[in-house]
Amino acid sequence: MTVRLADPARIAAALCHPDLEQALYDEGRVIMQDVLLTLHGEAHRKRRLLEFGVFRRNFFRYYEQGVFMATLDETIAPDLAAGRSELVDLGYRVTMNITADFAGVDRPARSPEETAELRRLVAIFSEGATLIHSTRDKEAVRAEVRAALDAFGPAFLDPSIARRRALLARLAAGEIGEDDLPRDVLTVILRHGDPEEFTPEMIRREIAFYLQAGAHSTANSTIHAFHDLATWAEAHPEDGARMRADPLFLQRCVHESLRLHPASPVSLRRAVCPVALEGAGDLPAGALVALDLAAANRDPSVFGADADRFNPHRAIPAGQMPFGLTFGIGTHSCLGRDLDGGVVPKGPADPANHQLGTITRFIARLLAAGARPDPGDPPRRAEHTERPNWGRYPIVFDPARRWA
Ligand code: HEM
């Protein structure tokens, strides 16, 4: 039996319920088995505690303004020189670097070939993880994921592990200090993880999961945001000018887009024992609960009569996030939320010091370079998934629209 909830408060209660376990990734076990997002109860708590240390706000701030901006400039440079780009590809190339940094996957060559190979593997991992929504032959996708995991080891993961083990040995010998270690999930696992839990296959799945979790959702959200902001600015030139002058307004626009397009439109949970759930009644063990995040984020009783439209001027009710439930809430809430979305300002904030989030920074970079949809090559929706993502989004960099 499956019950569906679409009310924001009821969804929030379900996502915090200790007796509802993750069920969205059963089809994608080939990559998702026993990774952080699919663990339950004590095993999940232990793993989350272990890995959470990598995702602290002070580090995000340093990362966003330093590492990310440098990587963004490096990645986008060839596209700027060409005067055009394709946002799905660019989005993956940029966001893959973010998640590789947090997961702990080295890219020593920094060559176009290396980037292309990692991008290829990450796209396959994403398709495997979201297999439940795939419209392709599922066994064929699983076979591709297995082959990609096999290729990922020697090409990326094994050298990344070897480098970290060597650094940990030097730390133990007193040759280097704590600050000389990379700050990423792989280092934490190798240093503090239980070797019985983290078998070589488990490490490979966990790191592959991280790579795709961040890259896939960030890339899709960035493209939606670009589309929404470009469309709104075209119709409201005064807001287009404000996006340019006021980074906090730009962040507000990005949050509005995140609300409308949650990367994961539904969450799915399974009752591990009989559960009484508000809005769903008494559920037997094994019952599935589908949580319609996309519908909840457009609930007019919360976000107003125009809730299903982009409007960066809407009033956000107290107690609600401007991006709704897009990053989840409760037990499995997104560890990358503040990294991607930045900090939601509580009252006036200093734009020079405010953590805007990598998506806002990415969009600002595109708009500052004069990016607009390519008038001769309209964007197309993705076809291999039921998720409402963009499959191809050509843009041009128009010198006349560049920010000074
Ligand atoms: C716009 C971008 C993103 C969106 C919309 C997003 C959304 C989500 C959502 C909805 C969940 C919860 C899923 C559930 O409850 O079933 C989640 C979990 C998670 N996200 Fe994100 N995410 C984004 C970016 C990232 C990034 C960049 C990272 C890492 C660098 C990341 C790491 C994680 C992890 C590790 C979890 C699992 C947490 C747990 O199970 O305890 N996410 N994300």
PDB file of all heavy atoms in Angstrom, residues 15 22 36-37 44 48 55 99 102 209-210 213-214 217-218 221 258 263-264 267 269 293 326-328 331-336 339-340 359, ligand 1:
ATOM      1  N   LEU A  15       9.028  13.213   7.399  1.00  0.00           N
ATOM      2  CA  LEU A  15      10.476  13.169   7.162  1.00  0.00           C
ATOM      3  C   LEU A  15      11.266  13.124   8.472  1.00  0.00           C
ATOM      4  O   LEU A  15      12.435  12.764   8.484  1.00  0.00           O
ATOM      5  CB  LEU A  15      10.917  14.368   6.311  1.00  0.00           C
ATOM      6  CG  LEU A  15      10.472  14.330   4.841  1.00  0.00           C
ATOM      7  CD1 LEU A  15      10.846  15.627   4.127  1.00  0.00           C
ATOM      8  CD2 LEU A  15      11.081  13.136   4.105  1.00  0.00           C
ATOM      9  N   GLN A  22      14.075   5.257   4.426  1.00  0.00           N
ATOM     10  CA  GLN A  22      14.249   5.650   3.029  1.00  0.00           C
ATOM     11  C   GLN A  22      13.784   4.533   2.094  1.00  0.00           C
ATOM     12  O   GLN A  22      14.085   3.364   2.322  1.00  0.00           O
ATOM     13  CB  GLN A  22      15.745   5.909   2.789  1.00  0.00           C
ATOM     14  CG  GLN A  22      16.121   6.346   1.412  1.00  0.00           C
ATOM     15  CD  GLN A  22      15.533   7.691   1.032  1.00  0.00           C
ATOM     16  OE1 GLN A  22      14.539   7.735   0.320  1.00  0.00           O
ATOM     17  NE2 GLN A  22      16.121   8.767   1.540  1.00  0.00           N
ATOM     18  N   LEU A  36      24.901   6.690   2.902  1.00  0.00           N
ATOM     19  CA  LEU A  36      24.291   7.523   3.940  1.00  0.00           C
ATOM     20  C   LEU A  36      22.792   7.742   3.728  1.00  0.00           C
ATOM     21  O   LEU A  36      21.996   7.620   4.665  1.00  0.00           O
ATOM     22  CB  LEU A  36      25.017   8.884   3.978  1.00  0.00           C
ATOM     23  CG  LEU A  36      24.455   9.917   4.966  1.00  0.00           C
ATOM     24  CD1 LEU A  36      24.652   9.468   6.407  1.00  0.00           C
ATOM     25  CD2 LEU A  36      25.104  11.281   4.748  1.00  0.00           C
ATOM     26  N   LEU A  37      22.414   8.031   2.496  1.00  0.00           N
ATOM     27  CA  LEU A  37      21.014   8.392   2.218  1.00  0.00           C
ATOM     28  C   LEU A  37      20.049   7.220   2.370  1.00  0.00           C
ATOM     29  O   LEU A  37      18.846   7.430   2.509  1.00  0.00           O
ATOM     30  CB  LEU A  37      20.928   8.975   0.796  1.00  0.00           C
ATOM     31  CG  LEU A  37      19.610   9.573   0.323  1.00  0.00           C
ATOM     32  CD1 LEU A  37      19.093  10.642   1.270  1.00  0.00           C
ATOM     33  CD2 LEU A  37      19.757  10.158  -1.078  1.00  0.00           C
ATOM     34  N   HIS A  44      22.438   4.901  10.405  1.00  0.00           N
ATOM     35  CA  HIS A  44      22.434   6.210   9.735  1.00  0.00           C
ATOM     36  C   HIS A  44      22.994   7.301  10.652  1.00  0.00           C
ATOM     37  O   HIS A  44      23.806   8.130  10.233  1.00  0.00           O
ATOM     38  CB  HIS A  44      21.006   6.574   9.282  1.00  0.00           C
ATOM     39  CG  HIS A  44      20.917   7.969   8.749  1.00  0.00           C
ATOM     40  ND1 HIS A  44      20.503   9.036   9.521  1.00  0.00           N
ATOM     41  CD2 HIS A  44      21.241   8.487   7.537  1.00  0.00           C
ATOM     42  CE1 HIS A  44      20.560  10.141   8.805  1.00  0.00           C
ATOM     43  NE2 HIS A  44      21.002   9.840   7.594  1.00  0.00           N
ATOM     44  N   ARG A  48      26.137   9.571   9.678  1.00  0.00           N
ATOM     45  CA  ARG A  48      25.927  11.016   9.480  1.00  0.00           C
ATOM     46  C   ARG A  48      26.839  11.818  10.410  1.00  0.00           C
ATOM     47  O   ARG A  48      27.427  12.818  10.010  1.00  0.00           O
ATOM     48  CB  ARG A  48      24.450  11.367   9.705  1.00  0.00           C
ATOM     49  CG  ARG A  48      24.129  12.815   9.352  1.00  0.00           C
ATOM     50  CD  ARG A  48      22.653  13.023   9.125  1.00  0.00           C
ATOM     51  NE  ARG A  48      22.319  14.429   9.152  1.00  0.00           N
ATOM     52  CZ  ARG A  48      21.773  15.120   8.153  1.00  0.00           C
ATOM     53  NH1 ARG A  48      21.495  14.545   7.033  1.00  0.00           N
ATOM     54  NH2 ARG A  48      21.508  16.398   8.269  1.00  0.00           N
ATOM     55  N   PHE A  55      30.926  19.191   6.495  1.00  0.00           N
ATOM     56  CA  PHE A  55      29.943  20.125   5.950  1.00  0.00           C
ATOM     57  C   PHE A  55      29.618  21.259   6.915  1.00  0.00           C
ATOM     58  O   PHE A  55      28.466  21.528   7.200  1.00  0.00           O
ATOM     59  CB  PHE A  55      28.654  19.365   5.585  1.00  0.00           C
ATOM     60  CG  PHE A  55      28.876  18.368   4.479  1.00  0.00           C
ATOM     61  CD1 PHE A  55      29.328  17.089   4.762  1.00  0.00           C
ATOM     62  CD2 PHE A  55      28.667  18.726   3.161  1.00  0.00           C
ATOM     63  CE1 PHE A  55      29.554  16.176   3.747  1.00  0.00           C
ATOM     64  CE2 PHE A  55      28.887  17.817   2.132  1.00  0.00           C
ATOM     65  CZ  PHE A  55      29.334  16.547   2.417  1.00  0.00           C
ATOM     66  N   THR A  99      31.413  18.651  -5.850  1.00  0.00           N
ATOM     67  CA  THR A  99      31.173  17.418  -5.098  1.00  0.00           C
ATOM     68  C   THR A  99      32.422  16.550  -5.038  1.00  0.00           C
ATOM     69  O   THR A  99      32.627  15.849  -4.064  1.00  0.00           O
ATOM     70  CB  THR A  99      29.994  16.621  -5.670  1.00  0.00           C
ATOM     71  OG1 THR A  99      30.013  16.721  -7.072  1.00  0.00           O
ATOM     72  CG2 THR A  99      28.687  17.145  -5.162  1.00  0.00           C
ATOM     73  N   PHE A 102      34.298  17.760  -2.075  1.00  0.00           N
ATOM     74  CA  PHE A 102      33.728  17.345  -0.790  1.00  0.00           C
ATOM     75  C   PHE A 102      33.784  15.832  -0.605  1.00  0.00           C
ATOM     76  O   PHE A 102      33.967  15.349   0.502  1.00  0.00           O
ATOM     77  CB  PHE A 102      32.296  17.881  -0.634  1.00  0.00           C
ATOM     78  CG  PHE A 102      32.299  19.303  -0.184  1.00  0.00           C
ATOM     79  CD1 PHE A 102      32.455  20.330  -1.098  1.00  0.00           C
ATOM     80  CD2 PHE A 102      32.222  19.624   1.167  1.00  0.00           C
ATOM     81  CE1 PHE A 102      32.511  21.657  -0.683  1.00  0.00           C
ATOM     82  CE2 PHE A 102      32.280  20.951   1.591  1.00  0.00           C
ATOM     83  CZ  PHE A 102      32.420  21.972   0.662  1.00  0.00           C
ATOM     84  N   PHE A 209      28.186   7.799  -4.576  1.00  0.00           N
ATOM     85  CA  PHE A 209      26.904   8.416  -4.187  1.00  0.00           C
ATOM     86  C   PHE A 209      27.085   9.917  -3.960  1.00  0.00           C
ATOM     87  O   PHE A 209      26.322  10.743  -4.467  1.00  0.00           O
ATOM     88  CB  PHE A 209      26.337   7.746  -2.924  1.00  0.00           C
ATOM     89  CG  PHE A 209      25.550   8.685  -2.038  1.00  0.00           C
ATOM     90  CD1 PHE A 209      24.338   9.199  -2.474  1.00  0.00           C
ATOM     91  CD2 PHE A 209      26.036   9.088  -0.800  1.00  0.00           C
ATOM     92  CE1 PHE A 209      23.620  10.103  -1.676  1.00  0.00           C
ATOM     93  CE2 PHE A 209      25.336   9.990  -0.011  1.00  0.00           C
ATOM     94  CZ  PHE A 209      24.123  10.497  -0.452  1.00  0.00           C
ATOM     95  N   TYR A 210      28.115  10.287  -3.202  1.00  0.00           N
ATOM     96  CA  TYR A 210      28.348  11.709  -2.924  1.00  0.00           C
ATOM     97  C   TYR A 210      28.567  12.484  -4.217  1.00  0.00           C
ATOM     98  O   TYR A 210      28.031  13.572  -4.411  1.00  0.00           O
ATOM     99  CB  TYR A 210      29.570  11.886  -2.016  1.00  0.00           C
ATOM    100  CG  TYR A 210      29.193  12.023  -0.563  1.00  0.00           C
ATOM    101  CD1 TYR A 210      29.271  10.944   0.296  1.00  0.00           C
ATOM    102  CD2 TYR A 210      28.738  13.227  -0.049  1.00  0.00           C
ATOM    103  CE1 TYR A 210      28.911  11.061   1.632  1.00  0.00           C
ATOM    104  CE2 TYR A 210      28.379  13.359   1.279  1.00  0.00           C
ATOM    105  CZ  TYR A 210      28.465  12.273   2.112  1.00  0.00           C
ATOM    106  OH  TYR A 210      28.098  12.409   3.423  1.00  0.00           O
ATOM    107  N   ALA A 213      25.195  12.783  -5.916  1.00  0.00           N
ATOM    108  CA  ALA A 213      24.147  13.467  -5.132  1.00  0.00           C
ATOM    109  C   ALA A 213      24.275  14.971  -5.297  1.00  0.00           C
ATOM    110  O   ALA A 213      23.305  15.672  -5.565  1.00  0.00           O
ATOM    111  CB  ALA A 213      24.245  13.102  -3.661  1.00  0.00           C
ATOM    112  N   GLY A 214      25.505  15.455  -5.151  1.00  0.00           N
ATOM    113  CA  GLY A 214      25.689  16.899  -5.253  1.00  0.00           C
ATOM    114  C   GLY A 214      25.645  17.389  -6.684  1.00  0.00           C
ATOM    115  O   GLY A 214      25.019  18.405  -6.982  1.00  0.00           O
ATOM    116  N   SER A 217      21.914  17.193  -8.626  1.00  0.00           N
ATOM    117  CA  SER A 217      20.904  18.139  -8.132  1.00  0.00           C
ATOM    118  C   SER A 217      21.351  19.577  -8.351  1.00  0.00           C
ATOM    119  O   SER A 217      20.556  20.435  -8.740  1.00  0.00           O
ATOM    120  CB  SER A 217      20.620  17.890  -6.652  1.00  0.00           C
ATOM    121  OG  SER A 217      21.823  17.752  -5.952  1.00  0.00           O
ATOM    122  N   THR A 218      22.643  19.854  -8.130  1.00  0.00           N
ATOM    123  CA  THR A 218      23.111  21.233  -8.286  1.00  0.00           C
ATOM    124  C   THR A 218      23.042  21.652  -9.755  1.00  0.00           C
ATOM    125  O   THR A 218      22.626  22.774 -10.074  1.00  0.00           O
ATOM    126  CB  THR A 218      24.558  21.399  -7.769  1.00  0.00           C
ATOM    127  OG1 THR A 218      24.665  20.771  -6.498  1.00  0.00           O
ATOM    128  CG2 THR A 218      24.927  22.853  -7.634  1.00  0.00           C
ATOM    129  N   SER A 221      19.376  22.205 -10.748  1.00  0.00           N
ATOM    130  CA  SER A 221      18.821  23.396 -10.085  1.00  0.00           C
ATOM    131  C   SER A 221      19.399  24.669 -10.695  1.00  0.00           C
ATOM    132  O   SER A 221      18.704  25.682 -10.816  1.00  0.00           O
ATOM    133  CB  SER A 221      19.135  23.369  -8.588  1.00  0.00           C
ATOM    134  OG  SER A 221      18.608  22.209  -8.015  1.00  0.00           O
ATOM    135  N   LEU A 258      14.503  27.510  -6.689  1.00  0.00           N
ATOM    136  CA  LEU A 258      14.697  26.224  -5.994  1.00  0.00           C
ATOM    137  C   LEU A 258      13.365  25.702  -5.442  1.00  0.00           C
ATOM    138  O   LEU A 258      13.099  24.505  -5.445  1.00  0.00           O
ATOM    139  CB  LEU A 258      15.705  26.381  -4.847  1.00  0.00           C
ATOM    140  CG  LEU A 258      17.189  26.446  -5.247  1.00  0.00           C
ATOM    141  CD1 LEU A 258      18.040  26.963  -4.095  1.00  0.00           C
ATOM    142  CD2 LEU A 258      17.683  25.060  -5.670  1.00  0.00           C
ATOM    143  N   ALA A 263      14.940  19.294  -6.787  1.00  0.00           N
ATOM    144  CA  ALA A 263      15.690  18.319  -7.595  1.00  0.00           C
ATOM    145  C   ALA A 263      15.061  16.936  -7.468  1.00  0.00           C
ATOM    146  O   ALA A 263      15.053  16.145  -8.403  1.00  0.00           O
ATOM    147  CB  ALA A 263      17.144  18.296  -7.140  1.00  0.00           C
ATOM    148  N   SER A 264      14.568  16.643  -6.281  1.00  0.00           N
ATOM    149  CA  SER A 264      13.875  15.387  -6.044  1.00  0.00           C
ATOM    150  C   SER A 264      12.404  15.744  -5.812  1.00  0.00           C
ATOM    151  O   SER A 264      12.038  16.157  -4.723  1.00  0.00           O
ATOM    152  CB  SER A 264      14.478  14.742  -4.790  1.00  0.00           C
ATOM    153  OG  SER A 264      14.269  13.380  -4.781  1.00  0.00           O
ATOM    154  N   SER A 267       9.755  12.387  -2.220  1.00  0.00           N
ATOM    155  CA  SER A 267      10.536  11.497  -1.350  1.00  0.00           C
ATOM    156  C   SER A 267       9.655  10.288  -1.086  1.00  0.00           C
ATOM    157  O   SER A 267       8.423  10.382  -1.151  1.00  0.00           O
ATOM    158  CB  SER A 267      10.868  12.174  -0.021  1.00  0.00           C
ATOM    159  OG  SER A 267      11.867  13.134  -0.203  1.00  0.00           O
ATOM    160  N   ARG A 269       9.144   6.946   1.631  1.00  0.00           N
ATOM    161  CA  ARG A 269       9.541   6.296   2.882  1.00  0.00           C
ATOM    162  C   ARG A 269       8.717   5.026   3.076  1.00  0.00           C
ATOM    163  O   ARG A 269       7.611   4.903   2.536  1.00  0.00           O
ATOM    164  CB  ARG A 269       9.309   7.237   4.072  1.00  0.00           C
ATOM    165  CG  ARG A 269      10.140   8.524   4.045  1.00  0.00           C
ATOM    166  CD  ARG A 269      11.613   8.237   4.262  1.00  0.00           C
ATOM    167  NE  ARG A 269      12.377   9.428   4.572  1.00  0.00           N
ATOM    168  CZ  ARG A 269      13.110  10.114   3.690  1.00  0.00           C
ATOM    169  NH1 ARG A 269      13.159   9.730   2.433  1.00  0.00           N
ATOM    170  NH2 ARG A 269      13.806  11.165   4.075  1.00  0.00           N
ATOM    171  N   LEU A 293       6.996  16.610  -2.551  1.00  0.00           N
ATOM    172  CA  LEU A 293       7.688  17.861  -2.213  1.00  0.00           C
ATOM    173  C   LEU A 293       7.340  18.961  -3.210  1.00  0.00           C
ATOM    174  O   LEU A 293       7.151  20.124  -2.842  1.00  0.00           O
ATOM    175  CB  LEU A 293       9.215  17.658  -2.228  1.00  0.00           C
ATOM    176  CG  LEU A 293       9.796  16.537  -1.371  1.00  0.00           C
ATOM    177  CD1 LEU A 293      11.313  16.506  -1.500  1.00  0.00           C
ATOM    178  CD2 LEU A 293       9.416  16.696   0.086  1.00  0.00           C
ATOM    179  N   THR A 326      12.728  21.831  -0.652  1.00  0.00           N
ATOM    180  CA  THR A 326      13.638  21.369  -1.708  1.00  0.00           C
ATOM    181  C   THR A 326      14.866  20.626  -1.182  1.00  0.00           C
ATOM    182  O   THR A 326      15.354  19.689  -1.821  1.00  0.00           O
ATOM    183  CB  THR A 326      14.035  22.574  -2.593  1.00  0.00           C
ATOM    184  OG1 THR A 326      12.904  22.885  -3.407  1.00  0.00           O
ATOM    185  CG2 THR A 326      15.223  22.295  -3.470  1.00  0.00           C
ATOM    186  N   PHE A 327      15.391  21.026  -0.041  1.00  0.00           N
ATOM    187  CA  PHE A 327      16.562  20.333   0.509  1.00  0.00           C
ATOM    188  C   PHE A 327      16.168  19.292   1.562  1.00  0.00           C
ATOM    189  O   PHE A 327      17.017  18.818   2.315  1.00  0.00           O
ATOM    190  CB  PHE A 327      17.532  21.347   1.127  1.00  0.00           C
ATOM    191  CG  PHE A 327      18.201  22.241   0.107  1.00  0.00           C
ATOM    192  CD1 PHE A 327      17.775  23.541  -0.089  1.00  0.00           C
ATOM    193  CD2 PHE A 327      19.259  21.779  -0.665  1.00  0.00           C
ATOM    194  CE1 PHE A 327      18.381  24.380  -1.024  1.00  0.00           C
ATOM    195  CE2 PHE A 327      19.888  22.602  -1.605  1.00  0.00           C
ATOM    196  CZ  PHE A 327      19.439  23.901  -1.790  1.00  0.00           C
ATOM    197  N   GLY A 328      14.880  18.940   1.607  1.00  0.00           N
ATOM    198  CA  GLY A 328      14.433  17.976   2.601  1.00  0.00           C
ATOM    199  C   GLY A 328      14.437  18.597   3.989  1.00  0.00           C
ATOM    200  O   GLY A 328      14.684  19.797   4.172  1.00  0.00           O
ATOM    201  N   THR A 331      15.602  13.715   9.333  1.00  0.00           N
ATOM    202  CA  THR A 331      16.660  12.711   9.423  1.00  0.00           C
ATOM    203  C   THR A 331      17.674  12.771   8.280  1.00  0.00           C
ATOM    204  O   THR A 331      18.877  12.721   8.509  1.00  0.00           O
ATOM    205  CB  THR A 331      16.012  11.301   9.397  1.00  0.00           C
ATOM    206  OG1 THR A 331      14.816  11.352  10.161  1.00  0.00           O
ATOM    207  CG2 THR A 331      16.955  10.255   9.938  1.00  0.00           C
ATOM    208  N   HIS A 332      17.180  12.846   7.048  1.00  0.00           N
ATOM    209  CA  HIS A 332      18.091  12.802   5.892  1.00  0.00           C
ATOM    210  C   HIS A 332      18.288  14.177   5.255  1.00  0.00           C
ATOM    211  O   HIS A 332      18.661  14.266   4.085  1.00  0.00           O
ATOM    212  CB  HIS A 332      17.548  11.835   4.839  1.00  0.00           C
ATOM    213  CG  HIS A 332      17.638  10.395   5.232  1.00  0.00           C
ATOM    214  ND1 HIS A 332      18.832   9.689   5.214  1.00  0.00           N
ATOM    215  CD2 HIS A 332      16.706   9.524   5.680  1.00  0.00           C
ATOM    216  CE1 HIS A 332      18.612   8.447   5.620  1.00  0.00           C
ATOM    217  NE2 HIS A 332      17.328   8.322   5.910  1.00  0.00           N
ATOM    218  N   SER A 333      18.022  15.253   6.003  1.00  0.00           N
ATOM    219  CA  SER A 333      18.085  16.582   5.377  1.00  0.00           C
ATOM    220  C   SER A 333      19.450  16.794   4.728  1.00  0.00           C
ATOM    221  O   SER A 333      20.471  16.277   5.175  1.00  0.00           O
ATOM    222  CB  SER A 333      17.805  17.668   6.415  1.00  0.00           C
ATOM    223  OG  SER A 333      18.831  17.653   7.371  1.00  0.00           O
ATOM    224  N   CYS A 334      19.422  17.580   3.655  1.00  0.00           N
ATOM    225  CA  CYS A 334      20.597  17.701   2.784  1.00  0.00           C
ATOM    226  C   CYS A 334      21.806  18.308   3.497  1.00  0.00           C
ATOM    227  O   CYS A 334      21.712  19.391   4.074  1.00  0.00           O
ATOM    228  CB  CYS A 334      20.219  18.573   1.586  1.00  0.00           C
ATOM    229  SG  CYS A 334      21.592  18.810   0.459  1.00  0.00           S
ATOM    230  N   LEU A 335      22.944  17.633   3.393  1.00  0.00           N
ATOM    231  CA  LEU A 335      24.164  18.169   4.005  1.00  0.00           C
ATOM    232  C   LEU A 335      24.763  19.292   3.166  1.00  0.00           C
ATOM    233  O   LEU A 335      25.579  20.063   3.650  1.00  0.00           O
ATOM    234  CB  LEU A 335      25.204  17.052   4.183  1.00  0.00           C
ATOM    235  CG  LEU A 335      24.909  15.992   5.240  1.00  0.00           C
ATOM    236  CD1 LEU A 335      26.040  14.972   5.319  1.00  0.00           C
ATOM    237  CD2 LEU A 335      24.708  16.627   6.607  1.00  0.00           C
ATOM    238  N   GLY A 336      24.355  19.365   1.894  1.00  0.00           N
ATOM    239  CA  GLY A 336      24.924  20.396   1.012  1.00  0.00           C
ATOM    240  C   GLY A 336      24.063  21.645   0.914  1.00  0.00           C
ATOM    241  O   GLY A 336      24.340  22.510   0.089  1.00  0.00           O
ATOM    242  N   LEU A 339      25.810  24.977   1.406  1.00  0.00           N
ATOM    243  CA  LEU A 339      26.852  25.100   0.382  1.00  0.00           C
ATOM    244  C   LEU A 339      26.233  25.607  -0.919  1.00  0.00           C
ATOM    245  O   LEU A 339      26.728  26.543  -1.541  1.00  0.00           O
ATOM    246  CB  LEU A 339      27.502  23.729   0.163  1.00  0.00           C
ATOM    247  CG  LEU A 339      28.522  23.617  -0.956  1.00  0.00           C
ATOM    248  CD1 LEU A 339      29.767  24.430  -0.643  1.00  0.00           C
ATOM    249  CD2 LEU A 339      28.917  22.153  -1.190  1.00  0.00           C
ATOM    250  N   ASP A 340      25.143  25.007  -1.326  1.00  0.00           N
ATOM    251  CA  ASP A 340      24.505  25.368  -2.591  1.00  0.00           C
ATOM    252  C   ASP A 340      23.591  26.576  -2.467  1.00  0.00           C
ATOM    253  O   ASP A 340      23.571  27.452  -3.324  1.00  0.00           O
ATOM    254  CB  ASP A 340      23.658  24.189  -3.104  1.00  0.00           C
ATOM    255  CG  ASP A 340      24.466  23.259  -3.952  1.00  0.00           C
ATOM    256  OD1 ASP A 340      25.693  23.435  -4.017  1.00  0.00           O
ATOM    257  OD2 ASP A 340      23.882  22.357  -4.557  1.00  0.00           O
ATOM    258  N   ILE A 359      25.186  28.178  -6.050  1.00  0.00           N
ATOM    259  CA  ILE A 359      24.288  28.346  -7.207  1.00  0.00           C
ATOM    260  C   ILE A 359      24.142  29.824  -7.544  1.00  0.00           C
ATOM    261  O   ILE A 359      24.245  30.224  -8.719  1.00  0.00           O
ATOM    262  CB  ILE A 359      22.914  27.697  -6.954  1.00  0.00           C
ATOM    263  CG1 ILE A 359      23.075  26.187  -6.756  1.00  0.00           C
ATOM    264  CG2 ILE A 359      21.964  27.972  -8.114  1.00  0.00           C
ATOM    265  CD1 ILE A 359      21.789  25.426  -6.536  1.00  0.00           C
TER     266      ILE A 359
HETATM  267  C1  HEM B   1      20.375  22.144  -5.320  1.00  0.00           C
HETATM  268  C2  HEM B   1      21.120  21.184  -4.847  1.00  0.00           C
HETATM  269  C3  HEM B   1      20.662  20.103  -3.925  1.00  0.00           C
HETATM  270  C4  HEM B   1      19.396  19.691  -3.635  1.00  0.00           C
HETATM  271  C5  HEM B   1      18.088  20.241  -4.178  1.00  0.00           C
HETATM  272  C6  HEM B   1      19.507  18.602  -2.693  1.00  0.00           C
HETATM  273  C7  HEM B   1      18.424  17.938  -2.139  1.00  0.00           C
HETATM  274  C8  HEM B   1      18.522  16.948  -1.186  1.00  0.00           C
HETATM  275  C9  HEM B   1      17.390  16.294  -0.563  1.00  0.00           C
HETATM  276  C10 HEM B   1      15.919  16.573  -0.872  1.00  0.00           C
HETATM  277  C11 HEM B   1      17.879  15.387   0.320  1.00  0.00           C
HETATM  278  C12 HEM B   1      17.050  14.487   1.233  1.00  0.00           C
HETATM  279  C13 HEM B   1      16.502  13.288   0.530  1.00  0.00           C
HETATM  280  C14 HEM B   1      15.524  12.505   1.358  1.00  0.00           C
HETATM  281  O1  HEM B   1      15.101  12.941   2.444  1.00  0.00           O
HETATM  282  O2  HEM B   1      15.158  11.422   0.918  1.00  0.00           O
HETATM  283  C15 HEM B   1      19.319  15.454   0.249  1.00  0.00           C
HETATM  284  C16 HEM B   1      20.167  14.673   0.984  1.00  0.00           C
HETATM  285  C17 HEM B   1      21.545  14.749   0.893  1.00  0.00           C
HETATM  286  N1  HEM B   1      22.277  15.662   0.169  1.00  0.00           N
HETATM  287 FE1  HEM B   1      21.562  17.081  -1.053  1.00  0.00          FE
HETATM  288  N2  HEM B   1      20.831  18.372  -2.421  1.00  0.00           N
HETATM  289  C18 HEM B   1      21.580  19.276  -3.150  1.00  0.00           C
HETATM  290  C19 HEM B   1      22.952  19.400  -3.167  1.00  0.00           C
HETATM  291  C20 HEM B   1      23.827  18.655  -2.427  1.00  0.00           C
HETATM  292  C21 HEM B   1      25.272  18.806  -2.413  1.00  0.00           C
HETATM  293  C22 HEM B   1      26.052  19.827  -3.209  1.00  0.00           C
HETATM  294  C23 HEM B   1      25.748  17.825  -1.586  1.00  0.00           C
HETATM  295  C24 HEM B   1      27.174  17.505  -1.203  1.00  0.00           C
HETATM  296  C25 HEM B   1      28.244  18.169  -1.545  1.00  0.00           C
HETATM  297  C26 HEM B   1      24.616  17.102  -1.054  1.00  0.00           C
HETATM  298  C27 HEM B   1      24.691  16.051  -0.177  1.00  0.00           C
HETATM  299  C28 HEM B   1      23.620  15.402   0.370  1.00  0.00           C
HETATM  300  C29 HEM B   1      23.761  14.276   1.274  1.00  0.00           C
HETATM  301  C30 HEM B   1      25.052  13.673   1.758  1.00  0.00           C
HETATM  302  C31 HEM B   1      22.450  13.859   1.611  1.00  0.00           C
HETATM  303  C32 HEM B   1      22.055  12.701   2.507  1.00  0.00           C
HETATM  304  C33 HEM B   1      21.915  13.096   3.938  1.00  0.00           C
HETATM  305  C34 HEM B   1      21.458  11.947   4.804  1.00  0.00           C
HETATM  306  O3  HEM B   1      20.931  10.954   4.299  1.00  0.00           O
HETATM  307  O4  HEM B   1      21.651  12.025   6.022  1.00  0.00           O
HETATM  308  N3  HEM B   1      23.471  17.630  -1.590  1.00  0.00           N
HETATM  309  N4  HEM B   1      19.680  16.427  -0.672  1.00  0.00           N
END
